[in-house]
Amino acid sequence: MNDFLAGAGRATVDGTAVTAQALDLPKLGAPVLRVDALAKVTGRARYIAEHSAPDMAYGVVVSSTITRGRIRQIESTAALAVPGVLAVMTHENRPAMRAMRIFHKDMDAPGGKPFRPLYDDRIYYSGQPLALVIAETFEQARYAARLVDVSYAAEPHETCLMARLHDAHAPKGFKVGFAPPPKQRGDADAAFEAAAYRIDAQYHAGVEHHNPMEMHATVTLIGEDGHLTVYDKTQSAENSALLIRHALGLSTDEVTVRNPFIGGAFGSGLRPQYQTLMCVMGAQLLKRSLQVMLTRQQMFSFGHRPETWQRVKLAADADGLLTALVHEAIAETSRTEDYVEVAVNWSGQLYACENVRFDYRLVDLDQYTPLEMRAPGAAHGVHAIEVAMDELSYALGMDPLALRLKNYAERDANSDKPFSSKELRACYAQGAARFGWDKRPSQPRSMRDGHEQVGWGMATGTWDAMQAYANVRAVLHADGSLVLSSATTDIGTGTYTAMSLIGAAALGLPLEAVSFVLGDSTLPTAPLEGGSWTVASVGSAVDAVCEKLKKSLLKLAQAMDKSPFEDAALADVVFHAGQLIYRDRTGDDHSIGLGALMQAAGRAQIEEKHLLLPNLFRQRKYTRATHSAVFVEVKVDEGFGTVRVTRVVSAVAAGRIISAKTAHSQIVGSVVWGIGQALHEDTRADHALGRFMNHNLSEYHIPVNADIDEIDVIFVDEDDRVVSRLGAKGVGEIGVVGVAAAVCNAIFHATGKRVRSLPMTLDRVMAASPPG
Amino acid sequence: MFTALAEALMAEAIGQGQNDFKIPLARRAIVRALEQAAGIASAISTAPESRP
């Protein structure tokens, strides 16, 4: 050792030197606690509506009570007379807004003409915002909003998908992430007619609405220089900033959007919702800070998972080999935009079949444009194919799992490409073993527990493994702290934790020494937080920028006088416990503390940025997907039609798991959502009024603790370096796909009744006819 | 006896189409509640599960 190595063997963390042995250094895949847990449980994590200013005013939205037509008049006199009321903003007195629809397109907008809140007197759907009542207090605004009297010129409307199936049309526009149905292969209809074993069934799923705990809200703070700082419930601060700038004609310097903590969204925040522009316009109108928070009822007045009708035709030979596969879907959209999602393609990707035909069409309704919700498209499409496969298994007298294995797709026949990785067989095997599938009696109605019939069902799940661009800045300080930043979002899924963990593991730092800053439109760019791609995208950028930091540190070390690191390559050195460690050719170990190294180099900090761009040339050669096998036990009281999900095993292959605890939580949460999709969630419309009726959590049912029993999550070993440099594919959506189908299949096994509509409420279970 | 009682109690119930299922559901609920009160049926099943 020489003087150069002062600090060797010691790591400095928060200014305190600690030995490597004392440090609990995290590794990728470790089940670390959420780094933001303390902030959340102590209330220091401030959600959108918790941001305020001394001059804050409050806005309450007035919603349309008709579904289609025009506003004749908005009478605001009574509302304005309420003490504390400052303004009633309508299409007639709002600040200037750009007219061209192109300026209202956000990053997630589908094809068509986006909705412009308070633009004119046109009414497109029930619940459309018509006015914003602004007052000194929320209570004053809420009271006054009830006094706003709107008169209408109503027009006939159509809101019922099932009554309009005959009007379905091919999507006129496309959107990011959408792939049209694959081309027909072979002659599926002829093969179907010729087959000995076949099923032809229709499936229906009703509307579901996002109901995150935190309702959508926007807070606009006006700085002394007029700068707008907008706290917005969004899954991308950059997306909201883009819409605000474009729609209102503002420059980049005039608006900053922040969303440091989001209380759930799972699709509802992919597009800035109407309260965003209304809040900014209201603040502009009054030239003071403003908060607009939607009510729970108004959470049912924008995007939703679209009602979808599907038909699946399957045929097989006596051995269970699929000879025909037809999957058709018709979903609802609005009059103005063609919301599209991948619903039918999954069938051709999951199962090998030479004769396939797919179709996906839309029906225009007087509704707000639907919106992505957890596993959009797959949650419906995979439900239909997986229930159909179960139906076929009974027609064949074949075990449902054996039928899936018989038709296992080694390649993606849709694209004729190999999978970048696919451990679905391992999901089946490990899930089945954990569940005890081999003990399942093949006949329905074989198991009973008191009043309840017991059934076991299973289904396959799949979701895209995607990667997008992402830019991350990293600043390593001489005290050993690492600050990473990117304009991504944490909607509660664990972004803070996963990114901190990746940074800590890359540089061999304790987790406590790493902080991740997100939720600010001025930070380095990141994609929308959705689609289960954040770890593969932003996480890979974190890993890459840390590699740049390591190179910079090694260069510093090599530039030192009499440096023992002179001949070291990056691959030869290890960053561990705040030290740079190198074993030279003679076997001697050399190390230096990073803090000591930076001090010696006269550097208070080292900063690097990395823009990660997916390697499309490599990725395009493969189909990249996550997979799962879901096994479910239900108990059905046939007297009442009630269904209890008493056991779930979800075996997931999602590449390398980076943050085990938050990944596990994502899957558990998604399974719960899948149970909700299967049994509870259903927004019912009165089509005479064209209005959703159960727009509250009292009548829109979601699973509660009493509905949830044992959920066992297995992460199957998988490592995919095509999808990401980390080997991660991404978790989240994959957890919900297949759950509803597995529940449906278990209900059939319990009762012999096939319920083909979601949710499988007690009336539908009671009404379903047993076979034969 | 419980079934007859439930039939009598629900004799004048009229469904409105979509909620017709609630009438037999109510009959069954009455019967089940009376059975439980009489100790004929347990409120929560305690029978050993018949898993294979």
Side-chain angles (χ1 to χ4, degrees), chain A residues 439 441 447-451 633 635 637-640 647 762-763 766, chain B residues 18 21 24-25 28-29 32 41-42 45 47-52:
Chain A
K439 298 180 180 63
M447 297 186 289
R448 190 170 182 86
D449 178 10
H451 288 297
E633 176 184 89
K635 294 186 177 178
D637 189 322
E638 288 189 285
F640 301 137
R647 207 155 55 96
L762 56 86
D763 53 320
M766 289 169 64
Chain B
Q18 285 193 323
F21 72 94
L25 187 66
R28 291 170 194 163
R32 183 75 63 84
S42 58
S45 172
E49 294 184 8
S50 59
R51 284 180 189 167

PDB file of all heavy atoms in Angstrom, chain A residues 439 441 447-451 633 635 637-640 647 762-763 766, chain B residues 18 21 24-25 28-29 32 41-42 45 47-52:
ATOM      1  N   LYS A 439     -53.476 -33.831  -8.807  1.00  0.00           N
ATOM      2  CA  LYS A 439     -54.522 -34.488  -7.994  1.00  0.00           C
ATOM      3  C   LYS A 439     -55.917 -34.051  -8.422  1.00  0.00           C
ATOM      4  O   LYS A 439     -56.920 -34.413  -7.802  1.00  0.00           O
ATOM      5  CB  LYS A 439     -54.312 -34.158  -6.516  1.00  0.00           C
ATOM      6  CG  LYS A 439     -52.982 -34.667  -5.966  1.00  0.00           C
ATOM      7  CD  LYS A 439     -52.847 -34.316  -4.497  1.00  0.00           C
ATOM      8  CE  LYS A 439     -51.524 -34.811  -3.941  1.00  0.00           C
ATOM      9  NZ  LYS A 439     -50.348 -34.169  -4.596  1.00  0.00           N
ATOM     10  N   PRO A 441     -59.359 -34.054 -10.067  1.00  0.00           N
ATOM     11  CA  PRO A 441     -60.249 -34.979 -10.784  1.00  0.00           C
ATOM     12  C   PRO A 441     -60.713 -34.318 -12.072  1.00  0.00           C
ATOM     13  O   PRO A 441     -60.989 -33.113 -12.096  1.00  0.00           O
ATOM     14  CB  PRO A 441     -61.412 -35.189  -9.810  1.00  0.00           C
ATOM     15  CG  PRO A 441     -61.390 -34.004  -8.911  1.00  0.00           C
ATOM     16  CD  PRO A 441     -59.973 -33.526  -8.841  1.00  0.00           C
ATOM     17  N   MET A 447     -65.730 -32.227  -6.491  1.00  0.00           N
ATOM     18  CA  MET A 447     -65.247 -31.881  -5.144  1.00  0.00           C
ATOM     19  C   MET A 447     -66.275 -30.977  -4.460  1.00  0.00           C
ATOM     20  O   MET A 447     -66.875 -30.110  -5.087  1.00  0.00           O
ATOM     21  CB  MET A 447     -63.894 -31.160  -5.238  1.00  0.00           C
ATOM     22  CG  MET A 447     -62.787 -32.008  -5.842  1.00  0.00           C
ATOM     23  SD  MET A 447     -61.164 -31.216  -5.777  1.00  0.00           S
ATOM     24  CE  MET A 447     -61.342 -29.920  -6.983  1.00  0.00           C
ATOM     25  N   ARG A 448     -66.415 -31.182  -3.165  1.00  0.00           N
ATOM     26  CA  ARG A 448     -67.412 -30.423  -2.413  1.00  0.00           C
ATOM     27  C   ARG A 448     -66.855 -30.111  -1.037  1.00  0.00           C
ATOM     28  O   ARG A 448     -66.110 -30.894  -0.450  1.00  0.00           O
ATOM     29  CB  ARG A 448     -68.701 -31.246  -2.309  1.00  0.00           C
ATOM     30  CG  ARG A 448     -69.878 -30.475  -1.765  1.00  0.00           C
ATOM     31  CD  ARG A 448     -71.178 -31.277  -1.910  1.00  0.00           C
ATOM     32  NE  ARG A 448     -72.284 -30.478  -1.413  1.00  0.00           N
ATOM     33  CZ  ARG A 448     -72.954 -29.582  -2.136  1.00  0.00           C
ATOM     34  NH1 ARG A 448     -72.603 -29.396  -3.402  1.00  0.00           N
ATOM     35  NH2 ARG A 448     -73.935 -28.876  -1.615  1.00  0.00           N
ATOM     36  N   ASP A 449     -67.264 -28.967  -0.526  1.00  0.00           N
ATOM     37  CA  ASP A 449     -66.903 -28.580   0.836  1.00  0.00           C
ATOM     38  C   ASP A 449     -68.138 -27.970   1.475  1.00  0.00           C
ATOM     39  O   ASP A 449     -68.438 -26.792   1.270  1.00  0.00           O
ATOM     40  CB  ASP A 449     -65.754 -27.559   0.798  1.00  0.00           C
ATOM     41  CG  ASP A 449     -65.363 -27.084   2.188  1.00  0.00           C
ATOM     42  OD1 ASP A 449     -65.842 -27.692   3.172  1.00  0.00           O
ATOM     43  OD2 ASP A 449     -64.588 -26.118   2.287  1.00  0.00           O
ATOM     44  N   GLY A 450     -68.888 -28.766   2.219  1.00  0.00           N
ATOM     45  CA  GLY A 450     -70.121 -28.279   2.816  1.00  0.00           C
ATOM     46  C   GLY A 450     -71.118 -27.857   1.746  1.00  0.00           C
ATOM     47  O   GLY A 450     -71.454 -28.627   0.845  1.00  0.00           O
ATOM     48  N   HIS A 451     -71.579 -26.609   1.835  1.00  0.00           N
ATOM     49  CA  HIS A 451     -72.531 -26.094   0.854  1.00  0.00           C
ATOM     50  C   HIS A 451     -71.884 -25.815  -0.491  1.00  0.00           C
ATOM     51  O   HIS A 451     -72.581 -25.553  -1.468  1.00  0.00           O
ATOM     52  CB  HIS A 451     -73.118 -24.763   1.345  1.00  0.00           C
ATOM     53  CG  HIS A 451     -74.077 -24.907   2.467  1.00  0.00           C
ATOM     54  ND1 HIS A 451     -75.259 -25.584   2.351  1.00  0.00           N
ATOM     55  CD2 HIS A 451     -74.030 -24.458   3.740  1.00  0.00           C
ATOM     56  CE1 HIS A 451     -75.901 -25.549   3.496  1.00  0.00           C
ATOM     57  NE2 HIS A 451     -75.173 -24.874   4.362  1.00  0.00           N
ATOM     58  N   GLU A 633     -58.263 -22.082  -7.316  1.00  0.00           N
ATOM     59  CA  GLU A 633     -59.304 -22.889  -6.668  1.00  0.00           C
ATOM     60  C   GLU A 633     -60.464 -21.960  -6.301  1.00  0.00           C
ATOM     61  O   GLU A 633     -60.240 -20.876  -5.747  1.00  0.00           O
ATOM     62  CB  GLU A 633     -58.776 -23.536  -5.393  1.00  0.00           C
ATOM     63  CG  GLU A 633     -59.847 -24.317  -4.617  1.00  0.00           C
ATOM     64  CD  GLU A 633     -59.313 -24.862  -3.313  1.00  0.00           C
ATOM     65  OE1 GLU A 633     -59.387 -24.135  -2.290  1.00  0.00           O
ATOM     66  OE2 GLU A 633     -58.815 -25.992  -3.306  1.00  0.00           O
ATOM     67  N   LYS A 635     -64.588 -21.842  -4.629  1.00  0.00           N
ATOM     68  CA  LYS A 635     -65.675 -22.535  -3.939  1.00  0.00           C
ATOM     69  C   LYS A 635     -66.957 -21.791  -4.278  1.00  0.00           C
ATOM     70  O   LYS A 635     -67.044 -20.582  -4.095  1.00  0.00           O
ATOM     71  CB  LYS A 635     -65.425 -22.572  -2.426  1.00  0.00           C
ATOM     72  CG  LYS A 635     -64.199 -23.422  -2.082  1.00  0.00           C
ATOM     73  CD  LYS A 635     -63.998 -23.611  -0.603  1.00  0.00           C
ATOM     74  CE  LYS A 635     -62.795 -24.529  -0.365  1.00  0.00           C
ATOM     75  NZ  LYS A 635     -62.512 -24.716   1.088  1.00  0.00           N
ATOM     76  N   ASP A 637     -71.049 -21.533  -3.942  1.00  0.00           N
ATOM     77  CA  ASP A 637     -72.299 -21.904  -3.281  1.00  0.00           C
ATOM     78  C   ASP A 637     -73.388 -21.800  -4.331  1.00  0.00           C
ATOM     79  O   ASP A 637     -73.833 -20.705  -4.685  1.00  0.00           O
ATOM     80  CB  ASP A 637     -72.584 -20.961  -2.109  1.00  0.00           C
ATOM     81  CG  ASP A 637     -73.750 -21.444  -1.256  1.00  0.00           C
ATOM     82  OD1 ASP A 637     -74.721 -21.970  -1.843  1.00  0.00           O
ATOM     83  OD2 ASP A 637     -73.691 -21.287  -0.030  1.00  0.00           O
ATOM     84  N   GLU A 638     -73.830 -22.916  -4.847  1.00  0.00           N
ATOM     85  CA  GLU A 638     -74.764 -22.901  -5.975  1.00  0.00           C
ATOM     86  C   GLU A 638     -76.128 -22.339  -5.595  1.00  0.00           C
ATOM     87  O   GLU A 638     -76.850 -21.833  -6.446  1.00  0.00           O
ATOM     88  CB  GLU A 638     -74.921 -24.309  -6.537  1.00  0.00           C
ATOM     89  CG  GLU A 638     -73.686 -24.754  -7.295  1.00  0.00           C
ATOM     90  CD  GLU A 638     -73.933 -26.059  -8.020  1.00  0.00           C
ATOM     91  OE1 GLU A 638     -73.969 -27.101  -7.334  1.00  0.00           O
ATOM     92  OE2 GLU A 638     -74.093 -26.025  -9.245  1.00  0.00           O
ATOM     93  N   GLY A 639     -76.470 -22.431  -4.315  1.00  0.00           N
ATOM     94  CA  GLY A 639     -77.740 -21.872  -3.892  1.00  0.00           C
ATOM     95  C   GLY A 639     -77.789 -20.371  -4.111  1.00  0.00           C
ATOM     96  O   GLY A 639     -78.841 -19.808  -4.428  1.00  0.00           O
ATOM     97  N   PHE A 640     -76.675 -19.752  -3.932  1.00  0.00           N
ATOM     98  CA  PHE A 640     -76.618 -18.294  -4.026  1.00  0.00           C
ATOM     99  C   PHE A 640     -75.796 -17.799  -5.221  1.00  0.00           C
ATOM    100  O   PHE A 640     -75.750 -16.603  -5.482  1.00  0.00           O
ATOM    101  CB  PHE A 640     -76.020 -17.712  -2.741  1.00  0.00           C
ATOM    102  CG  PHE A 640     -76.796 -18.072  -1.509  1.00  0.00           C
ATOM    103  CD1 PHE A 640     -76.152 -18.469  -0.350  1.00  0.00           C
ATOM    104  CD2 PHE A 640     -78.180 -18.042  -1.525  1.00  0.00           C
ATOM    105  CE1 PHE A 640     -76.868 -18.810   0.782  1.00  0.00           C
ATOM    106  CE2 PHE A 640     -78.917 -18.384  -0.391  1.00  0.00           C
ATOM    107  CZ  PHE A 640     -78.252 -18.772   0.763  1.00  0.00           C
ATOM    108  N   ARG A 647     -57.766 -19.964  -3.486  1.00  0.00           N
ATOM    109  CA  ARG A 647     -56.332 -20.240  -3.662  1.00  0.00           C
ATOM    110  C   ARG A 647     -55.936 -19.844  -5.074  1.00  0.00           C
ATOM    111  O   ARG A 647     -56.635 -20.173  -6.034  1.00  0.00           O
ATOM    112  CB  ARG A 647     -56.080 -21.739  -3.455  1.00  0.00           C
ATOM    113  CG  ARG A 647     -54.699 -22.119  -2.974  1.00  0.00           C
ATOM    114  CD  ARG A 647     -54.746 -23.464  -2.244  1.00  0.00           C
ATOM    115  NE  ARG A 647     -55.333 -24.554  -2.998  1.00  0.00           N
ATOM    116  CZ  ARG A 647     -54.624 -25.454  -3.706  1.00  0.00           C
ATOM    117  NH1 ARG A 647     -53.313 -25.377  -3.763  1.00  0.00           N
ATOM    118  NH2 ARG A 647     -55.243 -26.438  -4.334  1.00  0.00           N
ATOM    119  N   LEU A 762     -73.176 -13.307  -9.219  1.00  0.00           N
ATOM    120  CA  LEU A 762     -73.978 -14.451  -8.755  1.00  0.00           C
ATOM    121  C   LEU A 762     -75.181 -14.723  -9.662  1.00  0.00           C
ATOM    122  O   LEU A 762     -75.566 -15.874  -9.847  1.00  0.00           O
ATOM    123  CB  LEU A 762     -74.401 -14.244  -7.299  1.00  0.00           C
ATOM    124  CG  LEU A 762     -75.183 -12.982  -6.914  1.00  0.00           C
ATOM    125  CD1 LEU A 762     -76.679 -13.176  -7.126  1.00  0.00           C
ATOM    126  CD2 LEU A 762     -74.913 -12.655  -5.453  1.00  0.00           C
ATOM    127  N   ASP A 763     -75.776 -13.660 -10.244  1.00  0.00           N
ATOM    128  CA  ASP A 763     -76.920 -13.895 -11.126  1.00  0.00           C
ATOM    129  C   ASP A 763     -76.492 -14.668 -12.364  1.00  0.00           C
ATOM    130  O   ASP A 763     -77.212 -15.539 -12.856  1.00  0.00           O
ATOM    131  CB  ASP A 763     -77.580 -12.573 -11.514  1.00  0.00           C
ATOM    132  CG  ASP A 763     -76.602 -11.576 -12.086  1.00  0.00           C
ATOM    133  OD1 ASP A 763     -75.473 -11.487 -11.554  1.00  0.00           O
ATOM    134  OD2 ASP A 763     -76.948 -10.869 -13.062  1.00  0.00           O
ATOM    135  N   MET A 766     -75.816 -18.270 -11.364  1.00  0.00           N
ATOM    136  CA  MET A 766     -77.083 -18.987 -11.169  1.00  0.00           C
ATOM    137  C   MET A 766     -77.763 -19.280 -12.498  1.00  0.00           C
ATOM    138  O   MET A 766     -78.388 -20.320 -12.671  1.00  0.00           O
ATOM    139  CB  MET A 766     -78.022 -18.157 -10.286  1.00  0.00           C
ATOM    140  CG  MET A 766     -77.582 -18.096  -8.832  1.00  0.00           C
ATOM    141  SD  MET A 766     -78.507 -16.871  -7.887  1.00  0.00           S
ATOM    142  CE  MET A 766     -80.148 -17.541  -7.961  1.00  0.00           C
TER     143      MET A 766
ATOM    144  N   GLN B  18     -84.376  -7.955 -15.303  1.00  0.00           N
ATOM    145  CA  GLN B  18     -82.965  -8.159 -14.965  1.00  0.00           C
ATOM    146  C   GLN B  18     -82.755  -8.595 -13.524  1.00  0.00           C
ATOM    147  O   GLN B  18     -81.702  -9.133 -13.191  1.00  0.00           O
ATOM    148  CB  GLN B  18     -82.169  -6.887 -15.241  1.00  0.00           C
ATOM    149  CG  GLN B  18     -81.915  -6.657 -16.732  1.00  0.00           C
ATOM    150  CD  GLN B  18     -80.876  -5.594 -16.964  1.00  0.00           C
ATOM    151  OE1 GLN B  18     -80.818  -4.611 -16.247  1.00  0.00           O
ATOM    152  NE2 GLN B  18     -80.043  -5.796 -17.970  1.00  0.00           N
ATOM    153  N   PHE B  21     -83.691 -12.850 -10.803  1.00  0.00           N
ATOM    154  CA  PHE B  21     -82.908 -13.843 -10.054  1.00  0.00           C
ATOM    155  C   PHE B  21     -82.968 -13.611  -8.553  1.00  0.00           C
ATOM    156  O   PHE B  21     -82.703 -14.524  -7.768  1.00  0.00           O
ATOM    157  CB  PHE B  21     -81.448 -13.831 -10.526  1.00  0.00           C
ATOM    158  CG  PHE B  21     -80.683 -12.610 -10.098  1.00  0.00           C
ATOM    159  CD1 PHE B  21     -79.918 -12.618  -8.935  1.00  0.00           C
ATOM    160  CD2 PHE B  21     -80.718 -11.453 -10.852  1.00  0.00           C
ATOM    161  CE1 PHE B  21     -79.214 -11.498  -8.549  1.00  0.00           C
ATOM    162  CE2 PHE B  21     -80.021 -10.323 -10.461  1.00  0.00           C
ATOM    163  CZ  PHE B  21     -79.270 -10.342  -9.306  1.00  0.00           C
ATOM    164  N   PRO B  24     -85.736 -16.142  -6.442  1.00  0.00           N
ATOM    165  CA  PRO B  24     -85.269 -17.445  -5.924  1.00  0.00           C
ATOM    166  C   PRO B  24     -84.083 -17.288  -4.966  1.00  0.00           C
ATOM    167  O   PRO B  24     -83.941 -18.077  -4.027  1.00  0.00           O
ATOM    168  CB  PRO B  24     -84.873 -18.213  -7.189  1.00  0.00           C
ATOM    169  CG  PRO B  24     -84.726 -17.189  -8.262  1.00  0.00           C
ATOM    170  CD  PRO B  24     -85.669 -16.084  -7.911  1.00  0.00           C
ATOM    171  N   LEU B  25     -83.276 -16.265  -5.216  1.00  0.00           N
ATOM    172  CA  LEU B  25     -82.134 -16.031  -4.317  1.00  0.00           C
ATOM    173  C   LEU B  25     -82.636 -15.729  -2.906  1.00  0.00           C
ATOM    174  O   LEU B  25     -82.110 -16.257  -1.914  1.00  0.00           O
ATOM    175  CB  LEU B  25     -81.298 -14.868  -4.852  1.00  0.00           C
ATOM    176  CG  LEU B  25     -79.978 -14.579  -4.142  1.00  0.00           C
ATOM    177  CD1 LEU B  25     -79.001 -15.728  -4.324  1.00  0.00           C
ATOM    178  CD2 LEU B  25     -79.371 -13.291  -4.675  1.00  0.00           C
ATOM    179  N   ARG B  28     -83.977 -18.869  -1.214  1.00  0.00           N
ATOM    180  CA  ARG B  28     -82.877 -19.728  -0.728  1.00  0.00           C
ATOM    181  C   ARG B  28     -82.222 -19.122   0.501  1.00  0.00           C
ATOM    182  O   ARG B  28     -81.804 -19.827   1.423  1.00  0.00           O
ATOM    183  CB  ARG B  28     -81.848 -19.920  -1.831  1.00  0.00           C
ATOM    184  CG  ARG B  28     -82.372 -20.775  -2.977  1.00  0.00           C
ATOM    185  CD  ARG B  28     -81.427 -20.739  -4.148  1.00  0.00           C
ATOM    186  NE  ARG B  28     -82.053 -21.273  -5.351  1.00  0.00           N
ATOM    187  CZ  ARG B  28     -81.593 -21.074  -6.576  1.00  0.00           C
ATOM    188  NH1 ARG B  28     -80.512 -20.351  -6.773  1.00  0.00           N
ATOM    189  NH2 ARG B  28     -82.210 -21.606  -7.608  1.00  0.00           N
ATOM    190  N   ALA B  29     -82.084 -17.796   0.505  1.00  0.00           N
ATOM    191  CA  ALA B  29     -81.461 -17.142   1.659  1.00  0.00           C
ATOM    192  C   ALA B  29     -82.303 -17.330   2.911  1.00  0.00           C
ATOM    193  O   ALA B  29     -81.777 -17.558   4.004  1.00  0.00           O
ATOM    194  CB  ALA B  29     -81.265 -15.655   1.366  1.00  0.00           C
ATOM    195  N   ARG B  32     -81.852 -20.931   4.005  1.00  0.00           N
ATOM    196  CA  ARG B  32     -80.524 -21.154   4.593  1.00  0.00           C
ATOM    197  C   ARG B  32     -80.422 -20.509   5.975  1.00  0.00           C
ATOM    198  O   ARG B  32     -79.873 -21.087   6.907  1.00  0.00           O
ATOM    199  CB  ARG B  32     -79.452 -20.569   3.667  1.00  0.00           C
ATOM    200  CG  ARG B  32     -78.006 -20.789   4.129  1.00  0.00           C
ATOM    201  CD  ARG B  32     -77.510 -22.211   3.924  1.00  0.00           C
ATOM    202  NE  ARG B  32     -77.477 -22.595   2.534  1.00  0.00           N
ATOM    203  CZ  ARG B  32     -76.479 -22.322   1.687  1.00  0.00           C
ATOM    204  NH1 ARG B  32     -75.431 -21.644   2.112  1.00  0.00           N
ATOM    205  NH2 ARG B  32     -76.523 -22.727   0.433  1.00  0.00           N
ATOM    206  N   ALA B  41     -77.910 -26.256   9.321  1.00  0.00           N
ATOM    207  CA  ALA B  41     -76.786 -25.916   8.450  1.00  0.00           C
ATOM    208  C   ALA B  41     -75.876 -24.953   9.183  1.00  0.00           C
ATOM    209  O   ALA B  41     -76.344 -24.086   9.919  1.00  0.00           O
ATOM    210  CB  ALA B  41     -77.296 -25.263   7.158  1.00  0.00           C
ATOM    211  N   SER B  42     -74.601 -25.121   9.006  1.00  0.00           N
ATOM    212  CA  SER B  42     -73.658 -24.227   9.666  1.00  0.00           C
ATOM    213  C   SER B  42     -73.512 -22.942   8.849  1.00  0.00           C
ATOM    214  O   SER B  42     -73.625 -22.942   7.629  1.00  0.00           O
ATOM    215  CB  SER B  42     -72.296 -24.900   9.810  1.00  0.00           C
ATOM    216  OG  SER B  42     -71.815 -25.267   8.548  1.00  0.00           O
ATOM    217  N   SER B  45     -69.039 -23.210   6.528  1.00  0.00           N
ATOM    218  CA  SER B  45     -68.772 -24.626   6.384  1.00  0.00           C
ATOM    219  C   SER B  45     -67.547 -25.048   7.183  1.00  0.00           C
ATOM    220  O   SER B  45     -66.503 -24.417   7.113  1.00  0.00           O
ATOM    221  CB  SER B  45     -68.564 -24.961   4.913  1.00  0.00           C
ATOM    222  OG  SER B  45     -68.135 -26.288   4.811  1.00  0.00           O
ATOM    223  N   ALA B  47     -67.003 -28.482   7.287  1.00  0.00           N
ATOM    224  CA  ALA B  47     -66.786 -29.854   6.830  1.00  0.00           C
ATOM    225  C   ALA B  47     -65.396 -29.999   6.231  1.00  0.00           C
ATOM    226  O   ALA B  47     -64.896 -29.066   5.628  1.00  0.00           O
ATOM    227  CB  ALA B  47     -67.837 -30.206   5.786  1.00  0.00           C
ATOM    228  N   PRO B  48     -64.790 -31.156   6.431  1.00  0.00           N
ATOM    229  CA  PRO B  48     -63.471 -31.343   5.824  1.00  0.00           C
ATOM    230  C   PRO B  48     -63.561 -31.214   4.302  1.00  0.00           C
ATOM    231  O   PRO B  48     -64.528 -31.664   3.693  1.00  0.00           O
ATOM    232  CB  PRO B  48     -63.085 -32.769   6.236  1.00  0.00           C
ATOM    233  CG  PRO B  48     -64.239 -33.354   6.915  1.00  0.00           C
ATOM    234  CD  PRO B  48     -65.280 -32.307   7.132  1.00  0.00           C
ATOM    235  N   GLU B  49     -62.600 -30.563   3.772  1.00  0.00           N
ATOM    236  CA  GLU B  49     -62.628 -30.357   2.326  1.00  0.00           C
ATOM    237  C   GLU B  49     -62.469 -31.680   1.605  1.00  0.00           C
ATOM    238  O   GLU B  49     -61.748 -32.562   2.056  1.00  0.00           O
ATOM    239  CB  GLU B  49     -61.511 -29.402   1.910  1.00  0.00           C
ATOM    240  CG  GLU B  49     -61.744 -28.003   2.465  1.00  0.00           C
ATOM    241  CD  GLU B  49     -60.716 -27.029   1.995  1.00  0.00           C
ATOM    242  OE1 GLU B  49     -59.919 -27.403   1.113  1.00  0.00           O
ATOM    243  OE2 GLU B  49     -60.708 -25.902   2.495  1.00  0.00           O
ATOM    244  N   SER B  50     -63.149 -31.772   0.510  1.00  0.00           N
ATOM    245  CA  SER B  50     -63.097 -33.016  -0.240  1.00  0.00           C
ATOM    246  C   SER B  50     -62.113 -32.905  -1.390  1.00  0.00           C
ATOM    247  O   SER B  50     -62.369 -33.353  -2.490  1.00  0.00           O
ATOM    248  CB  SER B  50     -64.487 -33.355  -0.767  1.00  0.00           C
ATOM    249  OG  SER B  50     -64.955 -32.312  -1.586  1.00  0.00           O
ATOM    250  N   ARG B  51     -61.005 -32.198  -1.113  1.00  0.00           N
ATOM    251  CA  ARG B  51     -59.962 -32.185  -2.131  1.00  0.00           C
ATOM    252  C   ARG B  51     -59.461 -33.600  -2.330  1.00  0.00           C
ATOM    253  O   ARG B  51     -59.412 -34.375  -1.390  1.00  0.00           O
ATOM    254  CB  ARG B  51     -58.791 -31.312  -1.678  1.00  0.00           C
ATOM    255  CG  ARG B  51     -59.058 -29.826  -1.796  1.00  0.00           C
ATOM    256  CD  ARG B  51     -57.830 -29.082  -1.323  1.00  0.00           C
ATOM    257  NE  ARG B  51     -58.119 -27.667  -1.214  1.00  0.00           N
ATOM    258  CZ  ARG B  51     -57.337 -26.797  -0.600  1.00  0.00           C
ATOM    259  NH1 ARG B  51     -56.212 -27.209  -0.042  1.00  0.00           N
ATOM    260  NH2 ARG B  51     -57.659 -25.542  -0.540  1.00  0.00           N
ATOM    261  N   PRO B  52     -59.045 -33.930  -3.513  1.00  0.00           N
ATOM    262  CA  PRO B  52     -58.553 -35.287  -3.741  1.00  0.00           C
ATOM    263  C   PRO B  52     -57.245 -35.523  -2.992  1.00  0.00           C
ATOM    264  O   PRO B  52     -56.529 -34.592  -2.714  1.00  0.00           O
ATOM    265  CB  PRO B  52     -58.330 -35.327  -5.246  1.00  0.00           C
ATOM    266  CG  PRO B  52     -58.166 -33.904  -5.651  1.00  0.00           C
ATOM    267  CD  PRO B  52     -58.993 -33.104  -4.728  1.00  0.00           C
TER     268      PRO B  52
END
